[in-house]
Amino acid sequence: MQSALKVFFPELYARKKPSDLDQALRLLVDGLDSMRRELQRLREERKVSPEATGETLREERPDAQRIKARLRKLSEKEVEALKLALMGFCTVNSLLREMKIEWREADALLSRLHDKGFLDVLRVKPSREPRGFPVFFPSPYGEVASEVLFGKPWGLIHAEVLKERGAYMDNLKLIREAEVRLKHAGYRVVTELEDPSECTFKWSGGSHRADLAVYAFDKAGREVKVFLECESMSNPLSQVEKMLDAHYEQFKKIFVV
């Protein structure tokens, strides 16, 4: 059973990790149900694959009217959970605290929103918890849903909530804080505020300017330059994705404060 889940629903299996046959069966039902809904949606929208028409695959911004129609199909609790996830309560534990519900229900709500295309998910693995935990964030549909539900981009909503809770730090302050801490740790640091050219590197999409350039020594004792970014949620998600693409293409590693 677990082998079948790994083959046909790898993301669902990685997220839920069933520990017994009963959980595995429930997971299989969830996966099949999600597949059924997706097939039904595709039939309703009469989508034709780009491969079949010979067209070039392009990622287009979802239509707001279509998103409104999809939002109307959500339950009240699903809409509430989606709003909270867009506001930054994007883990099972943070959602259950805000909604005052059980862990199982919070997990199910986020999973359904993921299955319905409003959220994407990554598994974060901190050193203290090797198994990790899922962190949900808006898909392209979720980004448009944010503008439909709040009238504002997702990044702005996230930043506003942090400001209300006294936890927001703007980009300039983040850069200065990172600079001070790195210098105290013994690194030579140049910020893009001081010397933009020192923090700029080229990639296939053109040139990208990082927030900081940090000079460190590798295992062979050679000085190397490492580029760091300070992310304050002040940019659109598409711009953040472009930044991440640039770093990963050039260095295969991404350092973000």
Side-chain angles (χ1 to χ4, degrees):
M1 177 65 71
Q2 294 206 6
S3 297
L5 286 169
K6 288 179 183 178
V7 171
F8 294 105
F9 306 108
E11 290 185 4
L12 199 58
Y13 178 84
R15 198 167 71 243
K16 298 295 186 65
K17 293 286 187 184
S19 58
D20 55 38
L21 182 60
D22 182 58
Q23 288 185 8
L25 285 169
R26 290 184 183 183
L27 203 60
L28 182 60
V29 170
D30 288 345
L32 291 171
D33 191 46
S34 173
M35 184 182 292
R36 178 189 59 77
R37 288 196 302 268
E38 181 64 14
L39 288 171
Q40 180 64 29
R41 183 181 68 80
L42 291 173
R43 280 197 294 268
E44 289 174 356
E45 296 176 1
R46 296 181 181 179
K47 284 190 174 181
V48 180
S49 70
E51 292 82 359
T53 60
E55 296 177 2
T56 302
L57 181 63
R58 296 191 305 273
E59 185 176 339
E60 297 182 356
R61 178 181 172 83
D63 178 68
Q65 292 303 316
R66 202 167 91 191
I67 296 302
K68 286 180 181 178
R70 295 183 68 170
L71 286 169
R72 285 194 290 269
K73 296 178 181 179
L74 299 180
S75 68
E76 287 185 13
K77 275 203 168 181
E78 286 173 339
V79 172
E80 182 184 359
L82 177 58
K83 285 182 176 180
L84 286 167
L86 293 170
M87 291 164 64
F89 305 101
C90 48
T91 64
V92 175
N93 287 335
S94 63
L95 186 70
L96 69 86
R97 285 194 293 268
E98 290 299 311
M99 294 185 70
K100 296 179 173 56
I101 56 178
E102 296 295 326
W103 190 95
R104 185 185 294 273
E105 185 178 4
D107 180 59
L109 283 167
L110 289 170
S111 295
R112 287 203 299 272
L113 291 169
H114 173 256
D115 292 341
K116 293 178 181 181
F118 288 103
L119 299 176
D120 284 332
V121 62
L122 288 174
R123 180 166 288 276
V124 176
K125 295 184 178 180
S127 57
R128 66 181 182 278
E129 191 178 340
R131 183 178 172 183
F133 57 91
V135 174
F136 294 82
F137 58 96
S139 66
Y141 285 106
E143 286 189 74
V144 177
S146 174
E147 296 181 11
V148 171
L149 293 169
F150 296 103
K152 300 174 184 177
W154 165 70
L156 181 58
I157 295 296
H158 211 148
E160 286 180 350
V161 173
L162 289 171
K163 287 176 182 177
E164 288 173 5
R165 299 192 171 215
Y168 183 77
M169 191 178 290
D170 64 32
N171 206 61
L172 178 60
K173 192 172 181 180
L174 264 179
I175 291 173
R176 291 304 188 197
E177 183 79 14
E179 178 189 15
V180 169
R181 293 195 183 196
L182 287 164
K183 284 182 175 178
H184 282 179
Y187 294 101
R188 182 162 69 91
V189 182
V190 178
T191 72
E192 59 103 3
L193 304 169
E194 299 164 335
D195 189 347
S197 63
E198 191 72 9
C199 298
T200 301
F201 63 87
K202 292 188 179 297
W203 70 297
S204 62
S207 295
H208 176 77
R209 189 171 73 198
D211 290 317
L212 302 103
V214 181
Y215 291 85
F217 291 93
D218 62 15
K219 292 180 180 179
R222 294 170 300 201
E223 188 177 56
V224 294
K225 181 161 69 171
V226 178
F227 294 100
L228 270 72
E229 299 288 353
C230 293
E231 181 49 54
S232 62
M233 307 299 294
S234 58
N235 297 317
L237 194 57
S238 57
Q239 190 170 331
V240 175
E241 288 173 347
K242 187 177 180 181
M243 174 263 287
L244 296 175
D245 286 342
H247 279 269
Y248 190 75
E249 177 187 290
Q250 286 299 98
F251 312 111
K252 298 297 183 285
K253 289 183 179 180
I254 303 166
F255 297 92
V256 182
V257 178

